[in-house]
Structure formats: C-alpha cells, structure tokens
Amino acid sequence: MVSTSVQPQSLVRAATLAELQEKGQLLVRLSQQPVALFYSNDRVYAIDNRCPHMGFPLHGSVCKDGIVTCPWHYARFDLASGGTFDSWADDVRSFPVQIQDGEIWVDVAPLSNLKVHQQQRLQDGLEQGISLVIAKSVIALLDLKVAPTAPFQVGLSFGTRYNKTGWDTGLTMLTCMMNLLPYMNESDYPRALYQGLSAVARDSAAAPPHFRVHPLPTTNLDFSTLKAWFRQFIEQRDREAAERCLVTAIELGISRTQIAEILFAAATDHRYLDVGHVLDFINKALEALDATGWQEAESVLASLVTGLANATRMEEASSWRYPVDLVAILDGAFEQLPAALEAGKSYQGQWVQPPELLSVLLGEDAQAIADSLLEALRSGCTEEQLAQTVTYAAALRVARFHTNNDHGDWNSAHHPFTFANAVQQGIRRVPTVELLRGVFDAAMSVHLNRFLNVPPARLPDAKDTVANPEALLEKLPDLLDRQQQVNETGRLVAQYLYSGGNPRALMAMLAKLMLRENRDFHVIQSMDAAFRLYSQLADPSEGVPVLVAAARYLAAHAPTMRSQEQTYQMAYRLHRGDRLFEDTESEANPG
Ligand code: FES
C-alpha cells in the first residue's frame, strides 16, 4: 500500500459532497493531479485517476463493496488504501479525504516512502517476471537518485538465488549493461538496467531455487589445497563437492585474487568450455562482484559451479581434432609456457608487436599460431599484451565478416571475441600461467573461423573522410531502422572516426541504438567487449575496426520488433505523469 502523511496545508478543495453523492463518482484536477472521487457505502474516496498498470483512466470504473475495478485490464484496487489485488498492476495512489461544511477536501501532499516502495516493486517485478513493473521501479529509483548499483545488486542477488541451473545469460546481460553504463548517456541508465533485470527475471521464471551448500566445518585449509581439490572435483564433474570447496575458500577469507585464480584455473583445464561461455560467465560474475563490493560473493560465485562442471570440453569436438589436432598443438605449447615466460621476463617493457603477428593469428597454420604466441612471450610480451593481441584479432574477424556468410555464422565470429575479451580481463585480474592457456584457446577458436573472412569484407579506408562527422552520427538511427545495412553501418562508423568524430559520442549512440531493440544476448556481449577493448587500446586509430565490428554486429541484428522498448516507453510516460490517455470528465472508457 502507498501510504501518505497528512499535512493540512496541502488540503485542496475538490468538490461538494452533494455533487459527488448525486453522481457517484467525479473526476477533478488538483494541483495538476487528475484525481478520481468515488462515493461508496456512505464514504468518500480519492485515488489517482491514472491506473498504475498502463495509465488508462480509473474514472468510470465499476466500484463495488469498496473495490474499484479498472475497466481496461480489470485490475482491482481497495478504494481506501489504493492497494491492488493484482500485483502486475501496482498499487494506485490514494489520497486522504476530509469533509468540512459539505465540501470535500483532498490531501495531495507528496509521498514520503517512495524508495522503499519502489525497491519492493522491483523485487515483485523480478519474482513475477513482469517487465513493466521492473521498468517502472527502475525508472523511479534512479529518478530518486538511487545509485544504479542498488537495483543491479537486487537483480544479482535474485538471479543467483532463484535459478538452480546457475549463472546464465540473464545475469551476464545485466552485468554487461552495468559495464556499459559509463559509455551511455545518463538518460539511458534506467533503460539499460531494465533490459538486464528483465533478462534475469526471464531466466528465473519457473526455475527452482539454488539451495546453498555450506562450507566445510574447518578453519584449517590452505589456498593450494582448496585450489587442487576444486580442480579435481570439476574434472570429475562433481558439482556439489566443487561448490563446497569454493564456499569454504570464501568463508576462510582466501583473497579475491586467489578465488579468481581457482575459478580460472578450473575453467582452462579443458579447452574452450561451452564455446567460451563458461569462462565468460566467470569473468562477468567477478565484474559483478567488483561493482557491488563483493557483497554476497558466496552465492554469486557458487552459481558458476554447475556450468563449470557440466560444460562441453572442446577436446570432445571433432573440429578441434580433425583435420588438424589443435588439442595436441595446444598441449605442446602449454608445456613450453613456463620457460617462455621466464625467458621473456627480462625483455618486458621492450616488446613491440611484430608486423606479421596479426596475419599469422588470422591465417591458416595452427602450429604457426601457437609458435608465434610463444615467441612473443619469449620476446618480452606480457600476458596481458598477448591476451589483448588475440582479442584484437578476434574483433577483426567480426569487422571483416562477409555478409555472404550464413547469418547464423555471426555467432561463430562472435564467440571467440567475447571469450578472448573475458580471458584478457581475467588476466588483468590474475595473470597466471593456467589462465594464459585461455589466450591460446582463443587464438585457436579465431583460427577455426577463418572461413568467415573468405573473402574478407573490405574495411573502410582511413583517407575516406568528411568535414562534418557529427552529421554522419545523426544518420545512424535511420540506417539501423532498415535491415541489411551491415556494410553501410561499418562504413559510416569508420568514416566518422577517421574524420575526427568523438568516439565517446559514437559509443553512446551505439548503446542507445542497442537499447531500443529487443535484447539480444550476443549483441549486448559484443558491445561490452568492443567498448572495453577500444578503451584499452593505446592508439585510437587502431581501435576503429573494433567499433566497426560492434556496429556491424548490431546492424546485422536490427531492427527487431522493439516491443521491449514499447514497454519501457509506457513505464517512462507513466512515471513522468504524462497524460497518456485523456482524463477529462468526457473521456471514454471501454465499458
Ligand atoms: S488494468 Fe488499468 S490500465 Fe490496465
């Protein structure tokens, strides 16, 4: 129920009692607020005329036994409190009423407990999977100056508890959105969170909860033992035992870096688990914890274990075995990793990327790829530099994806890119020799997709510039209103950047255009990875193909039905108090 506090100075005269008694209900406008007055069972009631569900007028509704029923979708409300019996509709605001000398006075004082109410509504929206309720609560919370991390934390906590299958695409999208906020216009923050939170609610719909596994009753286990046990249990696909190890490590206060080390080691003990999703989910869970100060680390990280234990290992995939045994090449390379790192230590800081390295990474020879990565390490390339080089090569695959390919192959180009990004971000956190294996896995997955660049889509020329790049940016929304605009979009983005256009403005625009579409897991992941990579590259001109890749990927998946944006717009207009539908005495209702 929405409660109000009585402040006599906020009382406004509404009507005469006699008039209301004669008509049964009246519509009045008090301090710009449309208010529906009802006379029922010898009592006067005043409620907001806008139904909280979709904003249709409540004036004209059937009122019986103290309950008013909205004629549009039949949501029912207690007239006295405004509380609804249909939670998808939300409570309607009720106003305290006083009768003095035959006159009705309504108290229109502002509400005082909105934050608590909206936080509860967000929880309701997640539990019942109602996007409109989620959108309304997020818009209201951010408008109340609540930090975006607060609704994010609610979604994180909900999604990790109420989904037995564990961390999935919804939580990943939510975390990507959180990562993308700094690149967006502030006005898009609630839209981004609404998209991510709705995805979490969808994943949890009808899913059984994840029951907590308790830590071992011990204070006497060290990091090395727990790490070895965890890897052993994942190797045996024993989810419960692995989860108990992990929560024990957290309970014992093992450092955040070491927890990440345990997870990444197990995630790279086999090749390219679940087409890279497992390691990507681990990285996202760690990023989510970073955003929230590692609150509820136990439930968040425990949600990763099922995916780790059940993942498909690419040693089992024929494409990684035939006609070239990539696993054997990788095993050989991994044996040389410690020595290569040792040899390169004294040259670190001096490494310059050889001009031919990218061509080798995008080329035909898997053994040459592994050899060149090892050689880079011996020459002083750091773990992070190596990871970034492979991520860049993966982005080039997307930037050069030829539109003659099957549309489904966009996913094949996409997976190595987001996997490589996850490995790179993981290595920035914990540069272990185990996780370094992920860089080699990413390089092989890029190699396997070389056919997607045959022939390569032509990357725009740096000499192709215009005098007014901002005019190009204005064309982008229209371009993405049409299908099959992949190459035109890539060209526009490159021309904008080569002409000196502001990359921050471009990224904000791309994020906005992504948000107006129905959410797509891969588009959101791809945007997150591309913006991250672009921001970490030292040379902005080197980053042009990266943003071209993100824009082309978005263009390949736009336009959609945009029904989710329609829901958001409805919530936004309701929140703003727009006159969504006419609210005069003469307005029609469907009854
Ligand atoms: S129930 Fe009132 S507008 Fe839908």
Side-chain angles (χ1 to χ4, degrees), residues 54-243:
M54 290 181 71
F56 284 99
L58 286 169
H59 175 66
S61 301
V62 173
C63 170
K64 196 172 166 217
D65 300 330
I67 294 174
V68 65
T69 302
C70 176
W72 299 88
H73 309 96
Y74 309 109
R76 296 155 301 168
F77 307 92
D78 164 28
L79 262 178
S81 67
T84 185
F85 298 101
D86 299 287
S87 58
W88 44 265
D90 202 354
D91 297 341
V92 69
R93 184 178 177 190
S94 67
F95 301 91
V97 170
Q98 292 184 22
I99 312 294
Q100 293 171 9
D101 302 328
E103 307 265 12
I104 301 168
W105 292 77
V106 175
D107 186 350
V108 293
L111 295 168
S112 59
N113 60 351
L114 278 174
K115 262 187 211 173
V116 175
H117 175 71
Q118 293 300 342
Q119 275 160 353
Q120 182 55 52
R121 287 304 290 160
L122 176 55
Q123 191 69 28
D124 294 343
L126 288 166
E127 287 172 8
Q128 291 160 29
I130 306 174
S131 294
L132 182 63
V133 174
I134 293 171
K136 285 195 280 187
S137 57
V138 171
I139 291 167
L141 284 168
L142 295 203
D143 201 32
L144 290 163
K145 304 296 174 215
V146 170
T149 45
F152 174 71
Q153 173 71 63
V154 172
L156 183 64
S157 179
F158 177 85
T160 49
R161 277 195 170 75
Y162 296 107
N163 191 348
K164 190 174 186 216
T165 54
W167 188 284
D168 210 334
T169 55
L171 284 163
T172 303
M173 282 190 265
L174 177 62
T175 309
C176 286
M177 290 298 186
M178 200 63 197
N179 287 344
L180 285 167
L181 291 189
Y183 300 101
M184 293 180 188
N185 296 326
E186 206 172 329
S187 58
D188 286 327
Y189 289 5
R191 186 183 269 103
L193 288 167
Y194 147 73
Q195 286 281 16
L197 289 161
S198 299
V200 169
R202 184 211 54 194
D203 278 0
S204 292
H210 176 249
F211 292 112
R212 186 171 174 242
V213 172
H214 293 280
L216 294 167
T218 178
T219 54
N220 200 21
L221 274 172
D222 62 16
F223 161 67
S224 304
T225 305
L226 285 162
K227 181 178 172 185
W229 283 358
F230 185 78
R231 293 171 76 178
Q232 176 191 319
F233 292 135
I234 291 297
E235 178 64 33
Q236 297 162 0
R237 300 189 186 274
D238 187 339
R239 178 200 64 80
E240 196 174 340
E243 190 171 329

Side-chain angles (χ1 to χ4, degrees), residues 280-293:
D280 185 42
F281 288 179
I282 291 171
N283 179 57
K284 280 287 162 284
L286 294 168
E287 288 174 351
L289 288 176
D290 291 343
T292 56

